[in-house]
Amino acid sequence: MWKTGVCLALLSLSLPAWGSDTSDAGISPASPIPAGTHQLIVVQAPSWSAVTAKLQRYVRRGGDSWAAQGTPVDVNVGRNGLAWGRGLHTPGDAGPTKKEGDQRSPAGAFLLGSAFGYGDGLPDGAKGYPYLHLRRGISCIEDSRSKYYNQVIDPSAVTRADWSARDEMLRSDGLFRWGIVVEHNVPDALRGAGSCIFLHIWRGLGKGTAGCTAMAPETIADLIAWLNAADRPVLVQLPQPEYVRLRAGWALP
């Protein structure tokens, strides 16, 4: 739950309720992607250890198959590649499991939370997607011992700070000038399973992250402008061999 003036986390609570809609025709019952999802972001890396990957957007209407939107774009994942995260999916048997500080981006299927940025509002052309205007001090808590673990908070509103590590989001390097929360390890955060996962601006192609997925400034701005909360967007990130293995069961494009 939101705690006014304190907790800004679980940002997806500002999105429409997901419900349990299974009415769309042609949706695989084994797929972790909700039937009501009509926007899909797919990130495919060549292997578990690859640092660079390709991002492709898709849409579907009703029971129709996924249709690509635009062309694939380059992104960076974690410095150590990918590892199974905690999201909508059941992790596979092969591959590593994400842990705090492993510098791997989470693999799997994930809801998206709020967009965020330094400006007063969304990029031009945006469709009213939920947005958090970052102010000085707003941080994501990375200390797994904290009761605020994996939450975005305003520390100035907290009576007693119980963390030793936090990621301040109004950064001088501009990497969070535009970003989107990835709902990894929420709402029931498992301590040590990884925290503070975002889509955000990169330092340049091939420069891996601490666990986020990063891209060119124009790419993330276009992505935010494309998102529609009513379409219940989902992110799927997988190594290419796992994508091939899961494609039919997850009803992926």
Side-chain angles (χ1 to χ4, degrees):
M1 297 290 292
W2 283 71
K3 298 177 183 177
T4 305
V6 179
C7 181
L8 304 173
L10 302 184
L11 296 172
S12 70
L13 293 183
S14 56
L15 301 182
W18 285 80
S20 56
D21 177 19
T22 57
S23 60
D24 283 7
I27 305 303
S28 168
S31 176
I33 302 170
T37 289
H38 299 294
Q39 286 186 320
L40 184 68
I41 302 167
V42 172
V43 173
Q44 288 192 67
S47 68
W48 285 108
S49 59
V51 172
T52 59
K54 292 287 187 181
L55 180 152
Q56 176 67 62
R57 296 175 291 163
Y58 295 90
V59 297
R60 70 179 173 192
R61 295 289 177 254
D64 294 341
S65 59
W66 293 107
Q69 301 284 289
T71 57
V73 293
D74 293 314
V75 298
N76 299 330
V77 293
R79 296 183 186 96
N80 292 326
L82 297 169
W84 286 115
R86 300 184 72 234
L88 299 169
H89 59 285
T90 300
D93 296 330
T97 298
K98 179 152 182 64
K99 296 178 175 60
E100 190 69 43
D102 62 2
Q103 300 195 61
R104 291 180 181 270
S105 296
F110 307 93
L111 304 179
L112 292 180
S114 174
F116 58 83
Y118 296 177
D120 291 336
L122 292 158
D124 292 342
K127 303 172 181 65
Y129 194 76
Y131 178 74
L132 172 64
H133 178 201
L134 297 178
R135 305 183 305 276
R136 187 172 302 282
I138 290 177
S139 303
C140 191
I141 304 304
E142 300 170 323
D143 185 346
S144 62
R145 297 167 298 180
S146 171
K147 67 179 180 180
Y148 300 106
Y149 178 58
N150 199 30
Q151 297 182 19
V152 177
I153 67 168
D154 180 355
S156 67
V158 175
T159 303
R160 187 180 70 84
D162 65 348
W163 57 81
S164 61
R166 66 185 177 98
D167 187 4
E168 183 155 359
M169 298 180 71
L170 192 63
R171 302 165 57 120
S172 60
D173 58 17
L175 296 187
F176 288 178
R177 181 159 49 88
W178 294 118
I180 305 165
V181 173
V182 176
E183 294 213 335
H184 164 260
N185 198 20
V186 297
D188 55 336
L190 178 65
R191 297 184 186 277
S195 62
C196 305
I197 303 299
F198 310 121
L199 307 179
H200 65 75
I201 295 171
W202 66 12
R203 298 182 186 275
L205 181 62
K207 296 183 178 180
T209 72
C212 296
T213 298
M215 59 204 75
E218 60 273 17
T219 299
I220 187 68
D222 287 347
L223 192 59
I224 293 171
W226 174 74
L227 289 175
N228 188 334
D231 285 333
R232 302 174 177 179
V234 165
L235 168 70
V236 169
Q237 295 192 140
L238 292 169
Q240 203 270 338
E242 286 295 299
Y243 186 91
V244 171
R245 182 179 71 83
L246 295 169
R247 185 173 184 176
W250 284 20
L252 295 170

